């Protein structure tokens, strides 16, 4: 049954996932192209010095990309199904509704990891060939909260999308916005390093929130 | 199961409320810390002098309550307002009985700020060692950087991203021969070409012994700095002031503030009471007669006047600056550049 749910989710999201993968890897590639161009035009000394003295990390444009991808993934995965009211059919499958929704969320999280990890791998692969450990780690560690924000945006959007009433959707949306803000509080590179375990736990805590919306959905709550 | 999830939900809501509600209250209903007048110690009158701004009017006074005109105020703070005095043709021949010129004042004046956020921020761990005796007026940034490892110092050529073994060995051997024990505990320098001269770095080794390390004519220079009995240094700040009479400031584990003189390498304790550079901001405005040290924390602004000759405490003045802001959960602070629950 879980295989069938994963298949259903794949059918729904495959084109968006491919587009997101292209955007994710494309942005990371573009950032690396900028680094490469700066290296050839201004020399490695310039790159190293601006990183050391001015906190430049060259990948700032990537900041909100994972969050937008995560948000979009949840919308593509859940909103059409909810609007067509076919979500009810999923809940009538011969497994527990919470397991069905859990499988849908698991699919989404794994898909996002498949979208994000090649981008991180591309950046790591290039940067470690031209920069010393301290500098490429400086860049990669700075981007990790942004990718976590992508997962958080996905889980929170799924929670808000599944909520059956507009009144609570707005309340949940405001809560989700404030929670997402936590991932973008500091512009200082590597400022989240010591907070990454807590941030990972916080992100994981967003996953079960969808079950509150699911319960309200099954209870027939309406505006 | 659902009960646990609802507990998670309400815990997240409580976290957001503890974070955002105090912020909203502070933003809309509190006025911040009360302002304090601009204050400097005047060696001419032997008192703190204050410049205040109320109702769009400036008032000039000292702590005894004496009022001054703007011109008189310039004259009691000649080291600060020497440009104005020179422009007005009022620059005195002697100050505090000492014959001085505007050029001498220019050379001896310095401002130095020590901020908690500069101490507590992510560090990359790569540093640049400038040539201190290039023979040229302008400093030039090197084409390599160095890192401190558990066993030595390692120079990395930026063009090739490879370790310069010869230079690394020369510096490591020199430092080891002077008694430096790796790994280094702390390092402080100011690697920029926008300054008059370079003094390299001051470092604490694994035993908290203090060293001065720099590069002169391409060769390593390392000197162990003898510390007074019982003093354990913790925080280092290289000075590189125009007067070249000091090498560094050192704060010890008890909060004592010390000066490393140049070229003698004497380590002299100042009369400042204990300070915490992780919590308090220091601003030192020094001249050839006295230093005014401002120590600012969340509830007060403290002014200390030190003698520039022996760093003894001349006078102090404390303004209470209580804040009516309420404290909630926060993730960031002006005292550091890290994100965490606080």
């Amino acid at each position: 049954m879980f295989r069938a749910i994963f298949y259903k989710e794949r059918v729904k999201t495959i084109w968006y996932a491919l587009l997101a993968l292209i955007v994710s890897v494309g942005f990371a590639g573009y950032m690396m192209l900028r680094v490469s161009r700066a290296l050839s035009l201004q020399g490695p000394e310039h790159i190293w010095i601006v990183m050391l003295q001015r906190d430049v990390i060259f990948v700032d444009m990537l900041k909100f990309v994972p969050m937008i991808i995560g948000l979009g993934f949840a919308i593509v995965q859940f909103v059409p199904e909810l609007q067509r009211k076919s979500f009810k059919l999923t809940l009538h499958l011969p497994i527990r509704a919470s397991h069905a929704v859990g499988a849908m969320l698991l699919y989404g999280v794994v898909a996002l990891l498949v979208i994000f990890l090649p981008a991180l791998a591309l950046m790591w692969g290039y940067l470690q060939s031209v920069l010393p450990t301290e500098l490429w780690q400086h860049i990669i560690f700075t981007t990790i909260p942004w990718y976590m924000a992508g997962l958080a945006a996905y889980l929170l959007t799924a929670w808000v999308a599944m909520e059956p009433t507009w009144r609570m959707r707005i309340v949940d949306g405001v809560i989700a916005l404030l929670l997402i803000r936590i991932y973008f509080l500091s512009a200082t590179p590597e400022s989240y390093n010591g907070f990454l375990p807590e941030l990972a736990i916080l992100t994981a805590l967003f996953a079960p929130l969808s079950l509150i919306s699911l319960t309200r959905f099954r209870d027939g709550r309406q505006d | 199961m659902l009960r646990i999830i609802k507990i998670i939900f309400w815990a997240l809501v409580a976290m957001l409320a503890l974070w955002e509600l105090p912020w909203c209250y502070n933003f809309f209903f509190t006025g911040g810390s009360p302002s304090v007048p601009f204050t400097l110690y005047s060696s001419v009158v032997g008192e703190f002098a204050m410049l205040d701004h109320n109702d769009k009017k400036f008032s000039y006074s000292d702590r005894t309550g004496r009022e001054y005109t703007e011109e008189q105020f310039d004259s009691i703070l000649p080291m600060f307002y020497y440009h104005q005095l020179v422009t007005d043709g009022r620059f005195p021949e002697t100050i505090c009985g000492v014959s001085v010129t505007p050029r001498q004042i220019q050379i001896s004046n310095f401002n130095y700020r020590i901020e908690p956020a500069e101490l507590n921020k992510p560090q990359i761990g790569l540093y640049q060692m400038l040539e201190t005796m290039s023979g040229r007026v302008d400093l030039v940034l090197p084409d390599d950087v160095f890192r401190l490892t558990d066993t030595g110092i390692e120079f990395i050529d930026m063009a090739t991203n490879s370790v310069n073994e010869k230079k690394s060995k020369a510096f490591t051997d020199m430092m080891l021969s002077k008694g430096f024990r790796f790994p280094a505990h702390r390092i402080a320098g100011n690697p920029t070409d926008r300054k008059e001269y370079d003094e390299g770095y001051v470092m604490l080794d694994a035993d908290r012994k203090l060293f001065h390390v720099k590069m002169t004519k391409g060769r390593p220079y390392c000197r162990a700095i003898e510390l007074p009995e019982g003093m354990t240094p913790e925080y280092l700040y290289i000075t590189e002031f125009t007067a070249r009479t000091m090498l560094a400031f050192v704060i010890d584990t008890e909060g004592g503030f010390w000066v490393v003189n140049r070229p003698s390498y004497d380590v002299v304790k100042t009369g400042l009471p204990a300070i915490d550079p992780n919590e308090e901001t220091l601003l030192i405005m020094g001249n050839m007669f006295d230093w005014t040290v401002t120590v600012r924390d969340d509830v007060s602004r403290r002014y200390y006047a030190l003698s520039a000759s022996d760093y003894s405490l001349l006078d102090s003045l404390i303004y209470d600056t209580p804040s009516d802001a309420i404290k909630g959960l926060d993730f960031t602070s002006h005292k550091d550049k890290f994100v965490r629950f606080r």
Side-chain angles (χ1 to χ4, degrees), chain B residues 140-158:
Chain B
V140 180
L141 291 174
D143 51 15
D144 58 13
V145 296
F146 71 87
R147 62 163 73 98
L148 292 160
T149 69
D150 287 349
T151 53
I153 183 169
E154 214 169 65
F155 285 84
I156 310 151
D157 182 64
M158 288 192 271

Side-chain angles (χ1 to χ4, degrees), chain B residues 290-301:
Chain B
D290 55 71
W291 297 2
T292 302
V293 183
T294 311
V295 183
R296 197 178 69 212
D297 61 21
D298 292 337
V299 293
S300 68
R301 195 170 297 189

Side-chain angles (χ1 to χ4, degrees), chain A residues 88-106:
Chain A
K88 282 182 180 171
L89 296 176
T90 305
L91 303 184
H92 283 96
L93 292 171
I95 55 167
R96 285 170 65 177
S98 58
H99 288 182
V101 169
M104 291 168 80
L105 292 173
L106 179 66

